[in-house]
Amino acid sequence: MLYAIVWEDVENSLPLRQSVRPQHLEHIRELVDQGRVVVAGPFPAVCATDPGPAGFTGSLIVAEFPTQADAEQWIREDVYTTAGVIAAVSVRPFVQVVP
């Protein structure tokens, strides 16, 4: 089943986000390599692909997991969680209709 993992960053998360981003990308790379990611990326704080110092307000990952508990465990183990980038997270079942 697909699950949408949506989170909000702590305020002024950009320096912390940048410092642990390589580990976050390694963690998500495992899902990508297994063909389990539908879409993933951050929410910029301003309307720009590169928001510069404004940074990001959170992120979205839609990926396949055996269970919701597995999706929740995955985000709990991610460095964005353990390092304190994430202020709040939601993990919900997701049904892809398009494309």
Side-chain angles (χ1 to χ4, degrees):
M1 172 113 214
L2 293 176
Y3 292 89
I5 303 171
V6 182
W7 68 82
E8 294 179 30
D9 282 15
V10 296
E11 197 143 334
N12 300 313
S13 66
L14 188 59
L16 181 55
R17 214 180 221 274
Q18 289 173 325
S19 72
V20 297
R21 187 169 186 260
Q23 297 97 311
H24 168 71
L25 293 178
E26 281 180 33
H27 192 218
I28 199 167
R29 172 63 51 199
E30 296 172 22
L31 297 177
V32 171
D33 290 347
Q34 295 168 6
R36 295 169 48 193
V37 174
V38 174
V39 65
F43 299 118
V46 296
C47 292
T49 304
D50 179 356
F56 302 94
T57 61
S59 294
L60 162 72
I61 297 172
V62 176
E64 184 178 345
F65 292 91
T67 67
Q68 184 165 341
D70 291 319
E72 291 166 350
Q73 181 66 29
W74 186 90
I75 193 60
R76 270 195 306 273
E77 294 174 352
D78 189 80
V79 70
Y80 278 3
T81 301
T82 61
V85 172
I86 295 175
V89 66
S90 171
V91 178
R92 299 170 47 185
F94 180 82
V95 176
Q96 183 178 0
V97 175
V98 178

